Amino acid sequence: KMKRLRVCSFFLLLASVTTGCSYLPGGYAKQTYSPSGKTAYTIQCDGYYNSWALCLDLAGQKCGSRGYDILDRVDDKGVGRSLLIECN
């Protein structure tokens, strides 16, 4: 039983390490309001491996075929990116 427990523990540890190493920060959208009072979204796509393409893709997913206007864009030296968008 002890050998079986060690084998199971090893595979659990291996799975944890593999999952942790393969994780890449993604993006997310949070509902907010624009300066005009309309519903808007803050799109965050931080992380060295993410690009503006991820932000724009998330904005497109939020607004769909209606499209969107970019109200503000922040780039923190390529590591932190965010958009403030308003769907049309």
Side-chain angles (χ1 to χ4, degrees):
K1 283 192 167 194
M2 192 61 143
K3 184 176 181 180
R4 186 175 180 180
L5 181 61
R6 285 184 196 163
V7 170
C8 288
S9 297
F10 171 75
F11 282 111
L12 286 173
L13 178 64
L14 182 63
S16 299
V17 170
T18 304
T19 302
C21 292
S22 65
Y23 173 75
L24 295 176
Y28 65 89
K30 181 179 175 185
Q31 185 175 330
T32 187
Y33 295 95
S34 69
S36 67
K38 292 176 68 176
T39 299
Y41 296 94
T42 299
I43 310 286
Q44 290 289 136
C45 45
D46 297 336
Y48 182 75
Y49 294 104
N50 293 323
S51 67
W52 281 111
L54 175 64
C55 277
L56 298 174
D57 184 52
L58 289 170
Q61 289 176 29
K62 256 319 170 192
C63 297
S65 62
R66 296 176 292 164
Y68 56 88
D69 291 322
I70 297 174
L71 305 177
D72 193 20
R73 178 183 213 147
V74 176
D75 189 350
D76 185 19
K77 298 184 173 134
V79 178
R81 292 172 201 83
S82 67
L83 292 175
L84 177 64
I85 64 160
E86 188 176 81
C87 297
N88 294 329

